[in-house]
Amino acid sequence: MMDQSMKAGTPIALCTLLLISLTFIYLLSGENPSVSITSMTRKLHHSKHSLAIHETSMYRDELETALEGASMANKTVIITIVNRAYTEGDKPMLDIFLDGFWLGENTRQLTNHLLIVAVDQTAFERCTFLRLHCYKLKTDGEDFVDEKTYMSEDFIKMMWQRTRFLGDVLRRGYNFVFTDTDVLWLRNPFPRLTLNETIDLQISVDQFNGNQWSQTNPINTGFYMIKSNNKTIALFDEWYGQRNNSTGKKEQDVLVELMQKSAFERLRLRVRFLDTIYFSGFCQDSRDANIVSTVHANCCRSIRAKVTDLVTVIHDWKRFKDPSRNKTIEYRWSNHLACQKSWIS
């Protein structure tokens, strides 16, 4: 008797289920009851795809947004890192740095691709006030607000923090030119930087030995261009991984040690060392102001001394660019007196 009642109820149950399904399709399709199952499936798939895109943009982090905003078409960014000490004073270092782009040859448009990485809130607010591309670096509770004297413990910590951050930029697929804020860009340096895909790293030196491929050149990590690839990412991973075994050494010293231990060859890196005639500094002035691209306040101990001598470089540059200048007389840069004295005061 029970089996017969179940058999009798089966068609009714199937009809009820079919009616509910048709009602559901009708409600999803608006007021078009003739909508097909295929059409409904496409609508649901499109909704899921849109949601996925929305979630991706929601969870894309601030660094990716900042890099994308400053990037050139070939995913290359110019990066500098500042703290409060570089944004305060009668003539802050950051302002002098930007003066170089304003006064330089074919450099103004490069600020469209400049990303200012701030390690504290004051520096970040100054950057946003200037309407530049800005990113606030998370520093794991470290205090990098004030001036960090060359080779002090905090200075070394800040350099390693910088290395970790720049490695992250490479892992995201961005090439970059890293520049210290005490580098004046007097001419667009890109025509002097080889865009050959086979060159992984082009790095400045304190004293150029005449051979752009020689690893005996004393490198300076205050200015370099690097391509994002597996080799350079591996270099930064190994470089940063040495930090705990390098007490009292700045990150540049450790990179030199890696180079001397044939890390460049082992990783199959092609590295070019930049001639100081184009990429100069206070350690070695450019021999020719007609072709120099950058001037770095290296071989200098304090921000105050750097500011004083960089302002002198700007005056020198204006004097050099003066149409009334006697061009028959060999042009010479002023001596970097404040920086020379910074080592003995």
Side-chain angles (χ1 to χ4, degrees), residues 286-302:
S286 172
R287 303 184 306 278
D288 191 347
N290 291 288
I291 57 177
V292 67
S293 292
T294 60
V295 177
H296 185 189
N298 51 9
C299 290
C300 194
R301 192 165 185 267
S302 69

Side-chain angles (χ1 to χ4, degrees), residues 118-275:
V119 300
D120 59 72
Q121 188 61 28
T122 301
F124 181 72
E125 289 175 3
R126 176 63 177 165
C127 177
T128 55
F129 175 78
L130 294 170
R131 299 185 180 278
L132 299 166
H133 295 290
C134 314
Y135 174 71
K136 172 78 179 298
L137 181 64
K138 297 173 179 62
T139 56
D140 299 331
E142 297 285 356
D143 176 18
F144 296 129
V145 171
D146 298 318
E147 177 180 0
K148 305 306 174 189
T149 305
Y150 182 73
M151 290 308 294
S152 66
E153 183 179 350
D154 284 344
F155 173 86
I156 292 171
K157 284 181 180 178
M158 190 163 67
M159 294 302 99
W160 282 118
Q161 190 81 15
R162 181 176 88 178
T163 303
R164 184 177 74 168
F165 168 77
L166 294 173
D168 190 16
V169 173
L170 288 178
R171 282 187 288 275
R172 291 166 184 262
Y174 286 89
N175 319 306
F176 62 83
V177 175
F178 176 78
T179 174
D180 276 342
T181 319
D182 60 353
V183 177
L184 289 176
W185 289 44
L186 300 181
R187 288 187 176 90
N188 185 338
F190 286 99
R192 301 292 182 186
L193 294 168
T194 303
L195 300 179
N196 189 321
E197 291 289 328
T198 65
I199 299 180
D200 303 295
L201 172 63
Q202 300 173 75
I203 189 166
S204 64
V205 301
D206 288 338
Q207 302 274 343
F208 185 62
N209 69 8
N211 181 352
Q212 65 178 340
W213 307 111
S214 170
Q215 293 189 12
T216 61
N217 281 295
I219 63 173
N220 190 304
T221 53
F223 183 94
Y224 60 91
M225 180 176 185
I226 189 166
K227 295 189 67 63
S228 173
N229 56 41
N230 291 336
K231 295 180 290 183
T232 56
I233 292 169
L235 173 66
F236 267 71
D237 286 344
E238 185 171 342
W239 185 10
Y240 184 70
Q242 295 291 317
R243 70 195 184 282
N244 294 327
N245 301 322
S246 307
T247 304
K249 297 177 184 176
K250 62 183 182 297
E251 92 310 342
Q252 180 176 293
D253 300 331
V254 176
L255 182 61
V256 170
E257 289 180 355
L258 287 174
M259 179 176 67
Q260 292 171 344
K261 293 176 182 177
S262 303
F264 291 174
E265 289 81 4
R266 175 166 44 80
L267 295 172
R268 302 179 67 117
L269 286 160
R270 193 162 186 228
V271 180
R272 175 179 174 237
F273 302 90
L274 300 173
D275 192 336

Side-chain angles (χ1 to χ4, degrees), residues 92-108:
M93 182 74 79
L94 179 59
D95 288 15
I96 296 172
F97 177 66
L98 296 173
D99 283 348
F101 287 94
W102 176 256
L103 297 169
E105 294 181 5
N106 301 315
T107 51
R108 292 185 185 181

Side-chain angles (χ1 to χ4, degrees), residues 61-129:
D61 64 17
E62 293 175 357
L63 177 55
E64 186 65 34
T65 301
L67 289 167
E68 187 178 279
S71 177
M72 301 176 191
N74 62 354
K75 292 196 76 174
T76 299
V77 184
I78 303 166
I79 298 176
T80 195
I81 297 179
V82 299
N83 65 357
R84 187 179 69 187
Y86 279 68
T87 62
E88 293 184 332
D90 294 336
K91 187 63 175 176
M93 182 74 79
L94 179 59
D95 288 15
I96 296 172
F97 177 66
L98 296 173
D99 283 348
F101 287 94
W102 176 256
L103 297 169
E105 294 181 5
N106 301 315
T107 51
R108 292 185 185 181
Q109 76 283 1
L110 295 178
T111 58
N112 295 326
H113 306 292
L114 172 64
L115 178 62
I116 306 286
V117 179
V119 300
D120 59 72
Q121 188 61 28
T122 301
F124 181 72
E125 289 175 3
R126 176 63 177 165
C127 177
T128 55
F129 175 78

